[in-house]
Amino acid sequence: MRARALFRGSALLALVASLSLAGCGDEGAQANHGAPVEVGAVELSAQPVNIRSTLPGRVSAQRVAEVRPQVTGIIQRRLFTEGAEVEEGQQLYQIDDALYQSAYKKADAAMASAKLLADRYARLLADKAVSRQQYDDALSTYRQTAADVETARVNLAYTKVKSPIAGRIGRSSVTEGALVTNGQAQYLAIVTQLDPIYVDVTQSSVELLRLKRELASGELAPGKEGEASLELVLEDGTTYPHRGTLKFGEVNVDKGTGSVTLRAAFPNPERLLLPGMFVHVRVDEGVRPNAVLVPQQAVSRDPAGKAVVWVVKDQKATQREIVVNRTIGNTWLVEAGLAPGESVVTEGAQKLRMLPPNVPVVAKPASNVRVDLGDAATAAPSPRAN
């Protein structure tokens, strides 16, 4: 019984002591709540910023020619190196031309005979020794044989298979001794023009409408000479050394994806770009003259997923919902919710979340912000520390 009483007494003393400590803690917390909280903040400013979009794209050749035979015969020689550059009109194959030489000579002899007859009838017609009908028939025969000669000459020329365009030729699908026919489905080789080369990119029709609206309202100023400047990022993440130009956009929107295809042209002297490559194109849409940029350290998300920041005003910090458009370097482009001259917290936001509203704060210049806009800004100041 004595031991039980001692135990109960010890438990009671422990409970009293814990309550006393809790009361002291609450008093300490209340005291801390009343003291100003030190935070790091930056003051925002308006500045011109070059707005860029990154769009996925595929490389496609400007011109592609499938080389096919236009006469039937046996391939005698292949006259190119696979993978080499060929010129327009360069001979690629030689088809056996023996039959076509013979046909040409035969047609030429028939034309010569018909011409002699037509000339003789012309003289006889002047002396009224032949009728007009006889002369017309002889002249018609001559013209027909002349056409036959031209056909034979063209067929003979077609035995020399030539490249219709300049470019790089791929592998040959036939070898010497192969029989090829006029109009066959199988091509002999493919010639691809690689310089310049096209890149086809897709852009959402919604984004296209937004861009046109901002340009029309003056919210976005067009770039140099009103043309979009294009930069290419390759599959390995490296930047292509040559810049491109936008050629045209499709007049129809894809029903399945709701996107519009844009075609750009890039110089390709090193033949680094090949058809079928997947790339990204950076498009300079224009300049936003009075953009407000907020450091990414200042932006967080509330439980609903909306972007929020802590704004310092009159030595008080209040949380505010904002609308952000895109990232530019290590900042967010603000669409709504913030104005130039306002200060946002980038250091100490975790402390503010644990305190009640309207706690006094002391805003000092932030030490964790180093604004880097990359090449997006156009000779403009960065958000400055408060």
Side-chain angles (χ1 to χ4, degrees), residues 235-255:
E235 291 177 292
D236 59 359
T238 59
T239 301
Y240 186 62
H242 306 287
R243 298 185 74 87
T245 56
L246 188 63
K247 289 300 183 182
F248 73 93
E250 285 285 2
V251 296
N252 297 316
V253 177
D254 188 284
K255 296 180 180 178

Side-chain angles (χ1 to χ4, degrees), residues 21-313:
L21 290 173
C24 294
D26 290 341
E27 291 176 1
Q30 291 173 1
N32 288 336
H33 290 174
V37 178
E38 185 176 303
V39 295
V42 295
E43 182 181 339
L44 305 180
S45 61
Q47 56 188 294
V49 172
N50 186 24
I51 303 300
R52 314 184 85 188
S53 294
T54 301
L55 305 173
R58 288 280 180 187
V59 179
S60 61
Q62 188 180 51
R63 301 169 72 192
V64 178
E66 295 181 348
V67 180
R68 288 184 171 85
Q70 293 178 276
V71 292
T72 300
I74 301 295
I75 297 292
Q76 286 185 325
R77 295 188 307 278
R78 190 191 77 193
L79 303 173
F80 66 91
T81 302
E82 294 174 320
E85 296 285 336
V86 296
E87 298 296 329
E88 181 178 351
Q90 178 178 333
Q91 186 176 355
L92 305 177
Y93 297 93
Q94 176 62 55
I95 298 175
D96 186 4
D97 63 353
L99 292 178
Y100 298 99
Q101 287 277 10
S102 176
Y104 174 75
K105 292 177 180 178
K106 181 178 179 181
D108 187 61
M111 181 188 70
S113 177
K115 186 176 186 307
L116 290 174
L117 183 61
D119 291 343
R120 183 179 303 117
Y121 274 28
R123 292 190 299 270
L124 293 175
L125 179 63
D127 297 334
K128 299 186 182 299
V130 296
S131 67
R132 181 71 187 187
Q133 184 62 49
Q134 289 176 308
Y135 169 72
D136 289 343
D137 290 343
L139 185 60
S140 176
T141 300
Y142 165 68
R143 290 173 176 170
Q144 180 63 48
T145 55
D148 292 340
V149 169
E150 181 62 20
T151 300
R153 186 192 64 78
V154 170
N155 287 336
L156 180 60
Y158 281 158
T159 61
K160 301 180 186 296
V161 182
K162 299 179 180 180
S163 176
I165 63 172
R168 178 172 292 182
I169 193 167
R171 62 183 180 86
S172 176
S173 64
V174 297
T175 60
E176 291 83 351
L179 173 65
V180 295
T181 59
N182 179 23
Q184 68 180 38
Q186 177 63 40
Y187 54 80
L188 305 182
I190 295 180
V191 181
T192 306
Q193 182 175 320
L194 299 177
D195 184 26
I197 201 164
Y198 288 144
V199 175
D200 295 328
V201 299
T202 55
Q203 184 178 41
S204 165
S205 58
V206 175
E207 286 296 312
L208 192 61
L209 290 173
R210 177 192 61 78
L211 177 59
K212 290 182 178 180
R213 183 173 59 252
E214 291 179 354
L215 288 171
S217 65
E219 184 178 353
L220 196 64
K224 183 179 180 182
E225 299 179 356
E227 294 185 356
S229 177
L230 306 182
E231 188 177 64
L232 200 63
V233 180
L234 304 178
E235 291 177 292
D236 59 359
T238 59
T239 301
Y240 186 62
H242 306 287
R243 298 185 74 87
T245 56
L246 188 63
K247 289 300 183 182
F248 73 93
E250 285 285 2
V251 296
N252 297 316
V253 177
D254 188 284
K255 296 180 180 178
T257 62
S259 60
V260 179
T261 299
L262 308 176
R263 170 159 284 183
F266 285 83
N268 192 28
E270 299 88 4
R271 307 299 191 266
L272 187 60
L273 300 178
L274 297 176
M277 277 185 173
F278 178 76
V279 295
H280 285 89
V281 176
R282 293 175 182 159
V283 183
D284 289 337
E285 298 179 354
V287 178
R288 181 164 294 186
N290 298 303
V292 176
L293 302 175
V294 60
Q296 292 183 5
Q297 297 94 321
V299 182
S300 59
R301 298 285 175 176
D302 64 9
K306 297 179 180 178
V308 293
V309 296
W310 288 92
V311 180
V312 177
K313 184 179 181 181

